[in-house]
Amino acid sequence: MNLFSWFGRGSAPIARERLQILLAHERNERDHPDLLGVLREEILALISRHVSFDPDKVQIKMDRGKSVSTLAVDIEIPNAYGAPGEVSQPRRARAKRMGSAATPTMDQRVA
Amino acid sequence: MKDKKSGRVLVVTSGKGGVGKTTSTAALGAALAHLGEKVVVIDFDVGLRNLDLVMGAERRVVFDLINVIHGVAKLPQALIRDKRLENLHLLPASQTRDKDALTEDGVAKVIAELRSKFDWIICDSPAGIERGATLAMRYADAAIIVANPEVSSVRDSDRIIGLLDSKTQKAERGECVDKQLLITRYHPWRAARGEMLAIDDVLEILSIPLLGIIPESEEVLRASNMGSPVTLNSPVSPPARAYFEAARRLKGETIPMHVPSESRGIFNKLFGRKAA
């Protein structure tokens, strides 16, 4: 077992890195307990200034990854300008990979 | 007792259990008393009191903190004077199972009365983040966060720092509770081999100042077996020296930080035997 340590293979650096990532996340949660709710409200307010849509047809999802998080916004907008007779296909406004902007601390990893 | 003092309230806290809060409360309280300060240590672990046992006063408990809060006893009746140091006192917790026995107002009154009588009021917090822990920190001027160099302890310390910054009276007034880190159960040889988080790792992650580093030692266990704070039971042992240095830092002295170092022989190093 000591052979590992002679080659610099202790587990402490892993502990340190896991803690840094976890605590950055937890501190962010602590400081902004309802980040998703706030984002949702502000994004919807912005989009509704330009187009009208059904608030029930909005999906906002955040995935937390190890180094990057993704924020997916899926809004179904009725196609009011569709050609006559054409089956109205909902247009989808989609924004992805806004993770680094939404959760800045997630990217602050120290090597 | 002369009612002229304006004591400093310390909370010894950690979030995680078993990291050494009670041991550290007893050791630091005794060290400060030995340095001439008038000290009271309070056990906030209602239902699971242990500070009395670690201090060797378990058979002298008549009244406790809850009795004082409920007006059953006066504060001086509940205070137990240490048999070794006359300026060291203990206010024990009760063994009641009623979680709501501690009230915010009651604790405030007791703390205010103790402030006028002692230089240091050291509150031994229960583990966790429930009522007992938040009341122990509620009126603190300063906090000692006890952590082991280990992932779950460091994580819980971070939670506790968050609570100290939001749930204390000082925080609600827009002031800041002084926070210092006391690292306990430190194994120099494990840190040297990269098997245990290094002091610098923990400090960088928690970013609060360091009060002291207490090395893992059989003397700590021996002291609790004997019912005597390690700073009294074996005052020249490495953990006791580290506690004395921490106590002097609390008093405002500047003492260079001494990181416990590898003290094993070459044989043990090669074959990985744990030093006693």
Side-chain angles (χ1 to χ4, degrees), chain A residues 63-98:
Chain A
D63 281 321
R64 299 213 186 261
K66 201 174 173 191
S67 56
V68 200
S69 297
T70 60
L71 177 70
V73 183
D74 200 326
I75 304 173
E76 204 175 296
I77 301 170
N79 194 347
Y81 306 105
E86 186 184 311
V87 179
S88 174
Q89 288 288 334
R91 266 168 35 199
R92 284 174 175 241
R94 197 168 179 125
K96 254 210 153 182
R97 291 196 73 83
M98 290 173 58

XYZ file of all heavy atoms in Angstrom, chain A residues 63-98:
272
model
N -29.738 20.982 -16.201
C -28.977 19.768 -15.899
C -27.640 20.179 -15.324
O -26.922 20.971 -15.935
C -28.741 18.939 -17.169
C -29.974 18.142 -17.526
O -30.619 17.634 -16.601
O -30.290 18.056 -18.737
N -27.338 19.636 -14.179
C -26.055 19.973 -13.574
C -25.035 18.914 -13.923
O -25.232 17.735 -13.652
C -26.202 20.059 -12.057
C -27.183 21.128 -11.643
C -26.758 21.731 -10.332
N -27.744 22.671 -9.833
C -27.630 23.977 -9.978
N -26.600 24.503 -10.610
N -28.545 24.780 -9.473
N -23.990 19.353 -14.562
C -22.928 18.423 -14.913
C -21.747 18.640 -14.004
O -21.777 19.492 -13.120
N -20.704 17.890 -14.231
C -19.537 17.975 -13.360
C -18.833 19.315 -13.523
O -18.522 19.994 -12.557
C -18.585 16.830 -13.677
C -17.633 16.526 -12.546
C -16.819 15.286 -12.854
C -15.738 15.079 -11.808
N -14.779 14.045 -12.194
N -18.614 19.703 -14.775
C -17.903 20.967 -14.965
C -18.778 22.007 -15.655
O -18.524 23.196 -15.545
C -16.626 20.743 -15.767
O -16.942 20.121 -16.990
N -19.797 21.577 -16.385
C -20.703 22.520 -17.062
C -22.133 22.106 -16.744
O -22.430 20.924 -16.638
C -20.547 22.452 -18.610
C -21.090 23.717 -19.245
C -19.114 22.218 -19.007
N -22.989 23.098 -16.592
C -24.408 22.791 -16.449
C -25.109 23.285 -17.702
O -24.629 24.207 -18.355
C -24.990 23.502 -15.245
O -24.360 23.044 -14.094
N -26.242 22.678 -18.041
C -26.976 23.169 -19.204
C -28.345 23.647 -18.766
O -28.965 23.079 -17.868
C -27.142 22.074 -20.271
O -27.861 21.002 -19.690
C -25.809 21.599 -20.790
N -28.789 24.695 -19.438
C -30.112 25.236 -19.193
C -30.866 25.089 -20.506
O -30.453 25.645 -21.526
C -29.989 26.710 -18.795
C -31.303 27.441 -18.566
C -31.965 26.942 -17.298
C -31.049 28.934 -18.456
N -31.946 24.316 -20.503
C -32.719 24.116 -21.725
C -34.052 24.841 -21.587
O -34.790 24.629 -20.633
C -32.936 22.631 -21.971
N -34.336 25.717 -22.534
C -35.600 26.450 -22.529
C -36.361 26.031 -23.779
O -35.863 26.190 -24.891
C -35.355 27.979 -22.550
C -36.676 28.720 -22.470
C -34.441 28.390 -21.428
N -37.525 25.472 -23.606
C -38.303 24.981 -24.738
C -39.674 25.663 -24.705
O -40.478 25.414 -23.816
C -38.446 23.458 -24.592
C -38.795 22.808 -25.916
O -39.524 23.462 -26.698
O -38.339 21.689 -26.152
N -39.911 26.554 -25.677
C -41.167 27.303 -25.679
C -41.911 27.031 -26.980
O -41.352 27.218 -28.065
C -40.907 28.830 -25.563
C -40.078 29.118 -24.304
C -42.217 29.602 -25.537
C -39.632 30.554 -24.199
N -43.109 26.617 -26.862
C -43.904 26.348 -28.055
C -44.635 27.629 -28.443
O -45.427 28.159 -27.668
C -44.891 25.232 -27.741
C -45.347 24.491 -28.966
C -46.232 23.317 -28.582
O -45.713 22.389 -27.915
O -47.416 23.354 -28.929
N -44.332 28.120 -29.677
C -44.965 29.364 -30.126
C -45.914 29.033 -31.280
O -45.481 28.470 -32.281
C -43.901 30.373 -30.603
C -42.931 30.662 -29.448
C -44.546 31.649 -31.107
C -41.727 31.450 -29.896
N -47.214 29.364 -31.170
C -48.138 29.069 -32.266
C -47.728 29.836 -33.518
O -47.368 31.021 -33.435
C -49.492 29.555 -31.743
C -49.242 30.205 -30.433
C -47.823 30.083 -30.059
N -47.767 29.151 -34.675
C -47.319 29.775 -35.909
C -48.483 30.536 -36.535
O -49.233 30.019 -37.354
C -46.797 28.691 -36.853
C -46.025 29.307 -37.997
O -46.097 30.516 -38.199
N -45.315 28.477 -38.722
N -48.642 31.795 -36.180
C -49.766 32.614 -36.610
C -49.687 32.949 -38.093
O -50.674 33.284 -38.711
C -49.801 33.899 -35.791
N -48.469 32.865 -38.670
C -48.299 33.321 -40.055
C -48.227 32.158 -41.037
O -47.792 32.296 -42.145
C -47.049 34.184 -40.181
C -47.079 35.312 -39.185
C -46.288 35.285 -38.044
C -47.945 36.391 -39.379
C -46.332 36.302 -37.121
C -47.996 37.410 -38.447
C -47.190 37.369 -37.325
O -47.253 38.373 -36.421
N -48.654 30.979 -40.597
C -48.612 29.824 -41.476
C -49.510 30.040 -42.703
O -50.526 30.732 -42.651
N -49.132 29.423 -43.870
C -49.914 29.576 -45.096
C -51.287 28.940 -44.888
O -51.420 27.985 -44.118
C -49.204 28.902 -46.261
N -52.330 29.451 -45.553
C -53.664 28.901 -45.381
C -53.683 27.415 -45.734
O -53.088 27.012 -46.723
C -54.516 29.693 -46.376
C -53.713 30.899 -46.722
C -52.292 30.560 -46.494
N -54.349 26.652 -44.939
C -54.456 25.227 -45.205
C -53.302 24.430 -44.648
O -53.419 23.238 -44.418
N -52.164 25.079 -44.419
C -51.001 24.361 -43.899
C -51.266 23.967 -42.442
O -51.848 24.740 -41.688
C -49.784 25.271 -43.972
C -48.488 24.584 -43.601
C -47.337 25.574 -43.597
O -47.203 26.325 -44.586
O -46.620 25.613 -42.585
N -50.866 22.778 -42.098
C -51.027 22.375 -40.701
C -50.040 23.179 -39.856
O -48.848 23.214 -40.155
C -50.775 20.863 -40.537
C -50.920 20.453 -39.084
C -51.719 20.086 -41.431
N -50.597 23.845 -38.879
C -49.750 24.728 -38.081
C -48.723 23.928 -37.267
O -49.087 23.153 -36.406
C -50.638 25.548 -37.142
O -49.840 26.299 -36.282
N -47.471 24.097 -37.626
C -46.398 23.443 -36.880
C -45.856 24.422 -35.839
O -45.465 25.523 -36.190
C -45.245 23.060 -37.828
C -45.572 21.901 -38.753
C -45.620 20.585 -38.005
O -44.983 20.445 -36.975
N -46.393 19.629 -38.517
N -45.863 24.008 -34.621
C -45.321 24.938 -33.621
C -43.838 25.228 -33.881
O -43.088 24.304 -34.208
C -45.502 24.192 -32.303
C -46.158 22.910 -32.617
C -46.253 22.737 -34.084
N -43.515 26.475 -33.816
C -42.095 26.829 -33.903
C -41.501 26.704 -32.524
O -42.147 27.003 -31.547
C -41.942 28.284 -34.377
C -41.756 28.389 -35.864
C -41.887 29.813 -36.350
N -41.383 30.838 -35.456
C -41.740 32.105 -35.555
N -42.598 32.497 -36.475
N -41.245 33.004 -34.747
N -40.305 26.298 -32.471
C -39.722 26.140 -31.145
C -38.504 27.039 -30.979
O -37.609 27.003 -31.817
C -39.318 24.685 -30.910
C -40.553 23.858 -30.631
C -40.233 22.408 -30.537
N -41.465 21.716 -30.148
C -41.585 21.024 -29.030
N -40.586 20.913 -28.212
N -42.713 20.437 -28.739
N -38.589 27.822 -29.978
C -37.402 28.621 -29.648
C -36.613 27.792 -28.657
O -37.141 27.322 -27.673
C -37.824 29.936 -29.018
N -35.389 27.586 -28.970
C -34.637 26.699 -28.101
C -33.273 27.301 -27.783
O -32.539 27.690 -28.677
C -34.466 25.363 -28.788
C -34.075 24.307 -27.804
C -34.188 22.931 -28.391
N -33.766 22.031 -27.345
C -34.495 21.037 -26.895
N -35.661 20.792 -27.416
N -34.045 20.267 -25.929
N -33.004 27.359 -26.533
C -31.683 27.848 -26.128
C -31.025 26.777 -25.285
O -31.638 26.235 -24.388
C -31.823 29.128 -25.325
N -29.849 26.430 -25.620
C -29.172 25.383 -24.850
C -27.757 25.796 -24.495
O -27.195 26.715 -25.058
C -29.168 24.074 -25.641
C -30.160 23.071 -25.075
C -29.725 21.639 -25.301
C -30.326 20.765 -24.207
N -29.926 19.389 -24.326
N -27.218 25.031 -23.603
C -25.846 25.262 -23.165
C -25.609 26.696 -22.720
O -24.698 27.361 -23.191
C -24.851 24.865 -24.255
C -24.816 23.372 -24.468
C -23.586 22.978 -25.236
N -22.402 23.080 -24.400
C -22.002 22.144 -23.554
N -22.684 21.061 -23.386
N -20.890 22.301 -22.872
N -26.491 27.137 -21.865
C -26.254 28.447 -21.254
C -25.661 28.247 -19.872
O -25.628 29.143 -19.058
C -27.572 29.209 -21.113
C -28.130 29.650 -22.438
S -29.767 30.355 -22.230
C -29.407 31.677 -21.094
